[in-house]
Amino acid sequence: MRIQLLISFLIAGMFWSCQPTPEEKVVAYKTPFELGTGNETATYEETIDFYIRLAKEFPEINIQSIGETDIGLPLHIVTFNSDGDFNFQKIREKKAIILINNGIHPGESDGIDASMLLFRDLALGTLDTPQNTVLVTIPVYNIGGVLNRNSSSRVNQNGPAAYGFRGNARNYDLNRDFIKTDTKNAASFAQIYHLVEPDIFVDNHVSNGADYQYTLTHLFTQHNKFGGVLGEFLNEELQPALENSLGGAGWDITPYVNVFNRVPESGFSQFMDLPRYSTGYTTLWNTLGLMVETHMLKPYNERVQGTYAVMKSLIEITEEKGKTIKELRKQALSRHQHWTYYPIQWKVDSTRVTKLQFKGYEADTLISEVTQLPRLKYDRDRPFQKPVPYYNYFKPSDSVLIPRAYIIQKGWGHLQDHLDRNQIVYSTIQKDTSMAAEVYYIEEYKTRTRPYEGHYPHYNTRVRSLSDTVNLKEGGLWIPTDQPGIRYLLETLEPAAPDSFFNWNYFDPILQRKEGFSPYVFEDLARELLNENKELSQQFQEKKESDENFNASSYRQLYWIYENSPYAERGFMRYPVYRVLQGE
Ligand SMILES: [Zn+2]
């Protein structure tokens, strides 16, 4: 009898030791951030190991590697779904999906640690389990940067003790690379984004522009640029809902304080997230985008908790509004069918001002002991709350007529990789043919004089268009615009759009002449050309009379005649992507 009792005690003991209590599980899954002093961020290895352990134990969590990064390691995505289903095609039929990106700027590591806490708490059930929302996170996006761990590259930031570096393995800022895609990281992101097709996208950052009372700021994708009912929903429902939810939980949040080395009181405008930025890119497919920007002068512990609070609130809001968001996004798939023009440039609408009840610190301009020149100094002993003008309405300053299709001439096929990874539908021209199309000539552009993100980008680009009969070669690409990726096409293929492939130097060879003329020989031909063409001759005379410099330069005059002759290069400044307009 005694022996039997002993055995049953032993079995009970074994059973007990195999089934840890929830409290024990919390201990078992403490993150490096929690195990330290609150001023440590997990290393790359610790982060991935942590998620692998979670995925092994909890059927609601899955980890998978997707694509490469420049450092040679794969990206990962970790998914939490209460149903344990990780087939995105199936998931999106019934649930809303939030994609959270971390460590794009590894010195801004808050999101890496906050997401670990969030997924752990969801797994353990210490946080309400979302039934209608699925969470996906990229634990570390800039892996090369995270592995470049140091304690000095965020000179003014208040923790953590050690962190990664902003540039990736090849020193690219990944938050400028979503369109030009110089890095494998960006190519893999496109793969992940189009696999997951998130309804909401969150990119976790840390901000540095000014001092103020808030730990948290939000940088939503610009709502006018987003446009339509979804843009309104973002501005009038999602943002206020997030602000209220966080305010109720003791986390005041304000729009991203878009100033540098000046006080915010005089007002500031919303940040315009062009498609080169993460949320600007995800907007192209109607994903509601949010960059969380915590304030770098607040203690690390507080920033991580704040980032956690934003994501928690966003889950709660998505649980409530997910159905509406999904419905609006579904409707948005065909909204372009009502568009005629597409805005490619934006400016602040100064007639529309939002008043923020801003909680800042008074600042003084003192004389610097270092430079003996005026310097800005915030005084945290003098907090204030006052109305501050916030310019968060933008209006288009330039638009283009939307073509029915674009044609990329044969020879520029390397652009196909970009189209493919962004799931653009196109067909290949099967045989040589000619047709009427609109052709652009690059009329004007400026070029940065110093490198920017591996390029010497162009800007202030202007085009001149003309109708022409274009000869198309077999192998060229025919790209209809009536497809979900229409905004991607317009933003990349319209040369005057800020993040166009033209502005990112993809078409630079057309900007250089390959042939020319020798003035001492061309003289005689120029004379013949003028003699033969009365109209040309008249224009030439008029230009001589109206333009003094022209009249004084023999070379410029000959050049003008050459330019207007059949000998001029047809390919010079001629953009090799043609536009087929509606009705053509
Ligand atoms: Zn950042």
Side-chain angles (χ1 to χ4, degrees), residues 43-112:
T43 64
Y44 172 72
E45 291 80 6
E46 286 168 342
T47 307
I48 300 301
D49 285 352
F50 180 82
Y51 283 114
I52 290 173
R53 282 177 57 214
L54 283 184
K56 272 188 185 154
E57 176 156 357
F58 300 94
E60 298 87 357
I61 290 195
N62 175 265
I63 182 166
Q64 65 181 114
S65 57
I66 298 183
E68 267 189 89
T69 63
D70 280 356
I71 197 75
L73 293 163
L75 279 182
H76 287 92
I77 57 169
V78 180
T79 308
F80 175 87
N81 184 0
S82 58
D83 296 348
D85 183 357
F86 304 106
N87 177 330
F88 286 102
Q89 240 169 354
K90 284 193 187 152
I91 292 172
R92 77 175 67 96
E93 280 170 20
K94 10 179 206 192
K95 298 195 180 189
I97 304 175
I98 305 178
L99 173 64
I100 301 161
N101 191 30
N102 296 304
I104 190 168
H105 294 149
E108 308 166 14
S109 54
D110 310 17
I112 297 176

Side-chain angles (χ1 to χ4, degrees), residues 175-187:
N175 205 21
R176 310 288 184 271
D177 199 38
F178 288 93
I179 292 294
K180 62 188 177 70
T181 324
D182 288 320
T183 65
K184 289 182 181 172
N185 303 57

Side-chain angles (χ1 to χ4, degrees), residues 104-105 108 154 166 175-176 204-207 291 293:
I104 190 168
H105 294 149
E108 308 166 14
R154 295 287 289 181
R166 186 179 184 96
N175 205 21
R176 310 288 184 271
N204 286 318
H205 290 254
V206 180
S207 158
M291 285 191 245
E293 297 273 359

Side-chain angles (χ1 to χ4, degrees), residues 148-163:
N148 190 358
R149 203 165 160 103
N150 72 95
S151 295
S152 58
S153 58
R154 295 287 289 181
V155 54
N156 296 128
Q157 189 169 290
N158 187 3
Y163 41 78

Side-chain angles (χ1 to χ4, degrees), residues 111-179:
I112 297 176
D113 295 301
S115 295
M116 289 165 79
L117 300 178
L118 185 75
F119 276 71
R120 188 269 318 273
D121 291 352
L122 287 170
L124 294 179
T126 51
L127 203 61
D128 286 349
T129 305
Q131 299 301 326
N132 304 309
T133 308
V134 168
L135 253 81
V136 185
T137 188
I138 300 174
V140 175
Y141 180 52
N142 182 354
I143 300 172
V146 162
L147 293 173
N148 190 358
R149 203 165 160 103
N150 72 95
S151 295
S152 58
S153 58
R154 295 287 289 181
V155 54
N156 296 128
Q157 189 169 290
N158 187 3
Y163 41 78
F165 179 66
R166 186 179 184 96
N168 89 329
R170 294 161 64 214
N171 213 31
Y172 281 101
D173 185 333
L174 297 182
N175 205 21
R176 310 288 184 271
D177 199 38
F178 288 93
I179 292 294

Side-chain angles (χ1 to χ4, degrees), residues 208-210 257-263 376 378:
N208 60 356
V257 184
N258 191 15
V259 299
F260 185 76
N261 211 23
R262 69 174 179 85
V263 293
L376 189 62
Y378 289 92

